[in-house]
Amino acid sequence: MSELLQAVLDSEEKSDLRSFLSELRQQDKKYLLRNDILNVYSEYCSKSQKPEAFYTSSELSKLIYYTQEIIQEDSNFCFIIRSKIASQEVYWLTSDLSIEPMTVQDLLDLRDRLVNKYHPNEGDLLELDFGPFYDYTPTIRDPKNIGKGVQFLNRYLSSKIFQDSKQLLDSLLNFLRLHHYNGVQLLLNDRIQSQQQLSEQVKKAIGFVNNRPDDEPYEQFRFQLQSMGFEPGWGNTAARVRETLNILDELIDSADPQTLEALISRVPMIFKIVLVSAHGWFGQEGVLGRPDTGGQVVYVLDQAKSLEKQLQEDVMLAGLEKLNVEPKVIILTRLIPNSDGTLCNQRLEKVHDTENAWILRVPLREFNPNMTQNWISRFEFWPYLETFSIDSERELRAEFHGTPDLIVGNYTDGNLIAFLLARRLKVTQCNVAHALEKSKYLFSNLYWQELEEKYHFSLQFTADLIAMNAANFVISSTYQEIVGTPDSVGQYESYKCFTMPELYHVTNGIELFSPKFNVVPPGVNENNYFPYTRNKDRVESDRQRLAETLFTLEDPTQIFGKLDDPNKRPLFSMARLDHIKNLTGLAECYGQSKELQEHCNLILVAGKLRVEESGDNEERDEIIKLYQIIDQYNLHGKIRWLGVRLTKTDSGEIYRVIADHQGIFVQPALFEAFGLTILESMVSGLPTFATQFGGPLEIIQDKVNGFLINPTNLEETATKIVDFITKCEQNPNYWSEISQRGIDRVYSTYTWKIHTSKLLSLARIYGFWNFTSKENREDLLRYIEALFYLIYKPRAQQLLEQHQYR
Ligand code: UDP
Ligand code: LCN
């Protein structure tokens, strides 16, 4: 029984609950989400003149706080209570206040009834339940440790070595013998056949390297080590080899999680990586700001560069340089023949500033040239994924002269392709979501049939379930991406249980407590984005040109607005003109605050200036709205709107120019999964105000190194910014203090170096884990394949047929 519900029933507030339910019955909406519930409750409290204490700390208020959804049927209610992160309880509350727990199946049936899609007489609906497949894997217990999968796994594996050292050390021995590069055996050779021999030979080898100078290159004693059973890969110098062998020795004697991680992280097993980012315009120039192409492209490009660097460093430290080991990173994307002047029609493009990182573009098969020759929206891309992955496999094998060691998928489509490739190539699969559309669109699953023509969510959510369950590990940018916050459901969490009426019910879609989840936030490109004070790295002519562009240049083709006083403090924002980015909300907030207008100019870098120039419906709507707001609040003379697509170097310098003018960056999104612009502005030294909805909540420590805002509360947001400005005017050091703390926050926590070393270490540890427990995954993968062939594929085929007529 829910303690929260029981507490209300056992208290004097029972009659309040009854009245509150009666208030709910008056509502038109039968399905209330958390915000609606809070609104009804607040209305109820003010109508019945409840004291403030009742509103904030009564038993009923606690119940309401933790209730995520209320569904009314007849005069009864279903309460979905989430009193703890990542777990929910469901109760049926009748008009006479009796309470019954509901099963997940009951809840999904109720939701179906609500939309008139419940047909019990026509047989049961397919029920998807991934729960049993996780029974055999270890799971995390405490929700606060969700997302720290690898730490958990290391503890688990080392305690197994401790309990059953024979079996796990056998696995370790076999694992260490597995690795080779281009036919050259690495780490161990046939001279070591058993644990006993391993243990003896390690000690012997340590004794041998102990007598050699620290900096003696490995090549000079390679053959002596080989005769003891050790092949290349232990280190590049005597000191490094000694260190690695000592870690192995320690692990054999007494396993602990740190030692296990230290050893596995040094195993040279990853040299060739594929990053799949399939649907969009993927290029280095002229693609940002297009529909579907935002942070994901920036993220993958920077990740590729950083991965290459880290792999090169690892190869050097492992002593493999002389073997001509050349790490290679391939970004796999689609080739777009009609590429609108970009390089997206080129098969192969070198990633700038790398030696061996490439963008490999594979064309879609020509089902219908009207579709496949052109850019295709991410919502329509589904029919092409399987054949794309078959063709890509061939191309990847040719490019790598073999198979890759790790495949990382991005977004639903890339993750599904990663699954198909990883399954065929028998390689470790890692997923990165960036954004899961399911939680972005309200009721997207319940009304999937109505939305199908435009969004095809039945394919997307099925693909998500397939890929997230198949992945060996998942990296998320934040904790809340997995399981949300105390008062909001996480993006992955939203796949736990849901109905797709008349298609299937998901009773357990993902195990949130699985160690496969790991929080590994991205970094920021430090060549482009760095503190404004680093003058020696700035180009004076760029600074002047961009200052002119931002504040004074008159060029109506790409700039709207002329400032009355260009010297006022700039309030700056930059984003695509999507509804969810809410730049129009920021303009409205500025429009409503006379004080803000007195102190600041508003400067936006966003999308296009003219509706005719945009091919995207949402962008067109936002353009119209922005002009309306400018007129409504008469912002002429106070606002500049730059409808430009900036190059990477310019986008770096633009933050710094704003910082030169002691400006502020505002990120007002209604929801932001992570928010790379926040890192960019902070590292540039701009005091940053960012939405509290989504990733920024974890990036910014409020009032310490930036500020969190609720962008739906315009007045409060304006006041927060005005307060900051007033404080800066009273104390000129305050701006610099926040600026410096923002810079420190990024360098300490959000760098690509931290990201990639963690990612590679995860890949190795999950590779080892997969090796020791692989027989256990086959049943899960078979189930997933059945989903792919029996649900995904026929639906994708139907969509393909629709595309034939476009
Ligand atoms: N960006 C850009 N030019 C623009 C708008 C955005 O270069 O006109 C870049 C911005 O610097 C950032 C990325 O696009 O690197 C946007 O990433 P973010 O994670 O903030 O949002 P997304 O667009 O992925 O939702
Ligand atoms: C997608 C988003 O919506 C952003 O919030 C992220 O920063 C970006 O991808 C990179 O992961």
Side-chain angles (χ1 to χ4, degrees):
M1 169 54 63
S2 156
E3 284 171 21
L4 290 163
L5 259 170
Q6 198 58 53
V8 178
L9 294 175
D10 291 346
S11 73
E12 288 165 3
E13 295 169 23
K14 194 169 170 178
S15 63
D16 290 299
L17 177 60
R18 195 173 276 121
S19 318
F20 175 66
L21 294 183
S22 136
E23 189 72 35
L24 286 175
R25 285 192 199 96
Q26 317 293 318
Q27 304 294 315
D28 292 336
K29 281 190 191 166
K30 298 296 163 215
Y31 196 147
L32 286 93
L33 299 179
R34 189 163 184 274
N35 232 354
D36 307 317
I37 301 168
L38 291 175
N39 287 340
V40 178
Y41 182 61
S42 136
E43 243 169 65
Y44 164 75
C45 289
S46 68
K47 248 199 225 165
S48 32
Q49 299 183 332
K50 292 285 177 197
E52 181 67 16
F54 184 89
Y55 180 63
T56 52
S57 46
S58 60
E59 297 298 340
L60 184 57
S61 70
K62 278 183 219 151
L63 170 68
I64 298 297
Y65 180 82
Y66 289 111
T67 303
Q68 279 294 329
E69 295 174 21
I70 296 178
I71 305 170
Q72 187 187 343
E73 188 176 55
D74 305 325
S75 52
N76 305 320
F77 294 91
C78 162
F79 271 60
I80 300 170
I81 302 171
R82 185 173 173 273
S83 55
K84 275 202 299 256
I85 278 189
S87 69
Q88 69 171 28
E89 299 163 53
V90 190
Y91 294 97
W92 187 239
L93 196 62
T94 60
S95 42
D96 59 359
L97 297 191
S98 73
I99 310 170
E100 286 286 331
M102 283 173 78
T103 63
V104 172
Q105 281 84 356
D106 292 340
L107 171 64
L108 299 181
D109 287 346
L110 169 67
R111 286 181 173 148
D112 286 354
R113 285 202 294 277
L114 196 80
V115 290
N116 296 324
K117 300 275 162 65
Y118 179 60
H119 317 292
N121 298 331
E122 289 164 30
D124 285 339
L125 202 58
L126 171 65
E127 201 172 277
L128 303 182
D129 180 1
F130 288 89
F133 300 108
Y134 288 92
D135 284 350
Y136 52 73
T137 59
T139 43
I140 290 167
R141 268 208 310 263
D142 188 340
K144 75 171 184 301
N145 292 329
I146 290 176
K148 296 179 187 162
V150 82
Q151 274 151 270
F152 173 83
L153 209 53
N154 282 327
R155 267 202 312 276
Y156 175 82
L157 285 169
S158 52
S159 75
K160 276 194 102 173
I161 298 185
F162 199 71
Q163 283 159 14
D164 182 3
S165 63
K166 167 110 191 54
Q167 199 210 341
L168 228 101
L169 286 175
D170 259 351
S171 293
L172 182 66
L173 173 63
N174 290 333
F175 182 69
L176 292 177
R177 287 151 54 134
L178 206 68
H179 306 289
H180 42 81
Y181 183 85
N182 283 351
V184 179
Q185 181 62 36
L186 302 177
L187 296 179
L188 297 182
N189 61 35
D190 287 349
R191 290 192 173 87
I192 297 179
Q193 293 284 356
S194 67
Q195 266 183 53
Q196 178 69 23
Q197 281 172 345
L198 179 66
S199 166
E200 286 165 13
Q201 293 303 90
V202 168
K203 291 200 192 302
K204 203 161 147 196
I206 292 173
F208 168 76
V209 278
N210 272 343
N211 292 325
R212 314 201 75 93
D214 281 1
D215 58 356
E216 188 182 355
Y218 165 73
E219 287 306 318
Q220 289 181 16
F221 53 89
R222 173 178 176 178
F223 295 109
Q224 285 99 317
L225 276 189
Q226 196 169 43
S227 68
M228 295 179 218
F230 297 95
E231 293 293 329
W234 296 95
N236 57 336
T237 59
R240 180 84 183 175
V241 172
R242 188 185 312 132
E243 212 177 87
T244 316
L245 289 172
N246 270 321
I247 298 174
L248 175 59
D249 188 43
E250 204 180 314
L251 189 71
I252 296 172
D253 283 348
S254 64
D256 71 65
Q258 287 79 15
T259 321
L260 182 69
E261 181 170 7
L263 181 74
I264 304 288
S265 299
R266 286 187 181 203
V267 173
M269 55 190 275
I270 298 185
F271 307 105
K272 302 169 188 173
I273 301 181
V274 183
L275 310 175
V276 191
S277 180
H279 64 256
W281 298 94
F282 200 108
Q284 303 182 77
E285 312 287 350
V287 297
L288 280 170
R290 286 171 185 261
D292 290 12
T293 313
Q296 183 177 321
V297 173
V298 175
Y299 179 116
V300 175
L301 267 177
D302 287 344
Q303 189 189 45
K305 291 180 194 174
S306 176
L307 275 171
E308 188 205 41
K309 231 193 236 143
Q310 190 61 49
L311 289 175
Q312 286 168 342
E313 194 183 312
D314 292 350
V315 163
M316 188 268 291
L317 286 174
L320 300 178
E321 271 178 323
K322 292 272 168 0
L323 293 182
N324 292 331
V325 173
E326 283 188 351
K328 185 164 188 165
V329 180
I330 290 184
I331 299 168
L332 175 67
T333 189
R334 64 164 294 213
L335 185 146
I336 308 179
N338 295 335
S339 65
D340 198 11
T342 69
L343 296 184
C344 294
N345 59 352
Q346 262 192 21
R347 180 180 174 274
L348 208 56
E349 183 187 345
K350 182 95 171 274
V351 175
H352 300 330
D353 309 321
T354 65
E355 280 170 35
N356 208 7
W358 304 86
I359 303 172
L360 172 66
R361 302 193 181 91
V362 176
L364 304 184
R365 291 190 194 169
E366 265 204 17
F367 294 99
N368 166 8
N370 277 342
M371 292 294 294
T372 49
Q373 295 282 303
N374 296 309
W375 169 79
I376 299 174
S377 145
R378 66 189 190 277
F379 295 119
E380 299 283 338
F381 196 44
W382 313 113
Y384 309 101
L385 303 189
E386 190 186 14
T387 46
F388 176 83
S389 77
I390 294 168
D391 298 343
S392 300
E393 180 186 343
R394 205 180 42 243
E395 302 256 352
L396 287 169
R397 281 185 190 275
E399 287 299 320
F400 283 126
H401 305 294
T403 56
D405 305 307
L406 170 69
I407 301 179
V408 185
N410 291 275
Y411 192 68
T412 313
D413 49 19
N415 287 327
L416 191 79
I417 294 164
F419 153 68
L420 293 168
L421 283 170
R423 183 81 175 129
R424 274 199 295 271
L425 299 171
K426 300 190 171 39
V427 177
T428 306
Q429 178 201 344
C430 164
N431 278 16
V432 187
H434 296 286
L436 289 167
E437 307 286 353
K438 185 165 174 300
S439 40
K440 240 176 160 177
Y441 293 80
L442 273 188
F443 297 119
S444 49
N445 58 294
L446 196 61
Y447 295 108
W448 72 269
Q449 284 148 304
E450 287 78 354
L451 298 168
E452 194 67 357
E453 199 185 326
K454 196 161 165 205
Y455 292 110
H456 309 292
F457 285 141
S458 69
L459 282 153
Q460 182 148 19
F461 301 163
T462 309
D464 281 331
L465 285 172
I466 288 174
M468 65 178 73
N469 281 291
N472 295 95
F473 67 104
V474 171
I475 58 175
S476 73
S477 298
T478 60
Y479 173 82
Q480 62 178 290
E481 182 179 332
I482 312 169
V483 281
T485 62
D487 50 31
S488 66
V489 173
Q491 294 185 57
Y492 281 99
E493 192 182 0
S494 73
Y495 286 77
K496 179 88 190 158
C497 126
F498 64 99
T499 171
M500 294 288 281
E502 296 175 344
L503 184 62
Y504 54 67
H505 277 176
V506 178
T507 53
N508 191 354
I510 183 74
E511 178 49 80
L512 300 166
F513 289 81
S514 160
K516 69 160 59 174
F517 284 107
N518 285 277
V519 180
V520 185
V524 64
N525 186 325
E526 293 167 42
N527 293 329
N528 285 330
Y529 305 100
F530 52 83
Y532 75 106
T533 45
R534 236 166 66 193
N535 281 318
K536 65 177 186 353
D537 294 320
R538 297 179 63 180
V539 178
E540 188 50 35
S541 54
D542 285 347
R543 183 207 304 242
Q544 284 173 13
R545 175 176 52 82
L546 286 166
E548 199 188 335
T549 310
L550 280 167
F551 305 116
T552 51
L553 180 72
E554 289 185 35
D555 176 2
T557 59
Q558 48 173 354
I559 299 170
F560 172 90
K562 183 169 186 301
L563 299 176
D564 294 340
D565 178 3
N567 293 323
K568 274 192 197 166
R569 196 187 289 272
L571 201 68
F572 174 59
S573 196
M574 174 166 78
R576 289 174 292 125
L577 257 185
D578 280 359
H579 165 72
I580 204 121
K581 293 287 180 195
N582 193 34
L583 288 182
T584 45
L586 175 62
E588 192 150 18
C589 165
Y590 178 75
Q592 286 182 8
S593 167
K594 285 275 168 259
E595 259 189 299
L596 261 188
Q597 293 170 35
E598 249 164 54
H599 289 95
C600 312
N601 290 316
L602 179 62
I603 302 194
L604 304 175
V605 171
K608 312 243 166 35
L609 292 183
R610 277 166 282 273
V611 175
E612 319 78 79
E613 289 167 6
S614 171
D616 186 72
N617 287 339
E618 237 179 66
E619 189 174 57
R620 279 198 287 264
D621 292 347
E622 289 296 292
I623 295 174
I624 295 169
K625 200 164 156 200
L626 196 47
Y627 283 120
Q628 274 168 355
I629 292 168
I630 293 172
D631 287 340
Q632 182 186 348
Y633 295 100
N634 190 16
L635 298 179
H636 302 277
K638 298 169 185 162
I639 188 171
R640 295 264 287 174
W641 170 8
L642 281 59
V644 292
R645 189 183 301 146
L646 295 173
T647 62
K648 273 281 108 188
T649 12
D650 278 0
S651 87
E653 185 59 19
I654 214 154
Y655 290 104
R656 294 188 288 270
V657 173
I658 299 284
D660 292 336
H661 292 74
Q662 302 258 301
I664 292 168
F665 183 77
V666 188
Q667 210 284 15
L670 299 172
F671 176 79
E672 187 62 61
F674 183 73
L676 291 173
T677 53
I678 292 158
L679 296 189
E680 293 164 0
S681 78
M682 283 169 80
V683 82
S684 307
L686 274 176
T688 301
F689 287 70
T691 180
Q692 67 188 37
F693 301 122
L697 188 67
E698 284 174 47
I699 304 174
I700 290 179
Q701 293 160 308
D702 194 23
K703 303 191 190 75
V704 177
N705 39 38
F707 300 87
L708 293 167
I709 52 170
N710 173 353
T712 61
N713 190 334
L714 304 185
E715 204 183 320
E716 185 191 279
T717 299
T719 310
K720 277 195 181 162
I721 302 175
V722 170
D723 284 353
F724 173 75
I725 294 167
T726 317
K727 228 166 150 182
C728 291
E729 283 167 3
Q730 287 159 357
N731 169 11
N733 287 336
Y734 187 54
W735 186 95
S736 310
E737 274 169 33
I738 297 287
S739 158
Q740 189 56 46
R741 286 198 225 129
I743 296 170
D744 296 345
R745 174 74 172 158
V746 176
Y747 284 140
S748 68
T749 319
Y750 299 101
T751 69
W752 280 112
K753 171 92 184 147
I754 302 175
H755 174 99
T756 36
S757 48
K758 207 161 164 197
L759 171 60
L760 289 174
S761 151
L762 289 177
R764 293 182 181 109
I765 286 158
Y766 284 91
F768 175 56
W769 166 244
N770 199 21
F771 177 77
T772 58
S773 65
K774 63 173 166 264
E775 65 280 12
N776 289 335
R777 271 173 57 84
E778 193 55 24
D779 47 4
L780 166 67
L781 292 168
R782 290 284 174 191
Y783 184 70
I784 288 173
E785 269 176 350
L787 277 187
F788 176 76
Y789 289 107
L790 300 177
I791 299 182
Y792 182 90
K793 206 172 159 174
R795 301 193 73 83
Q797 186 60 34
Q798 273 173 17
L799 180 57
L800 186 65
E801 280 157 25
Q802 291 169 23
H803 284 181
Q804 308 286 0
Y805 301 104
R806 293 216 182 152

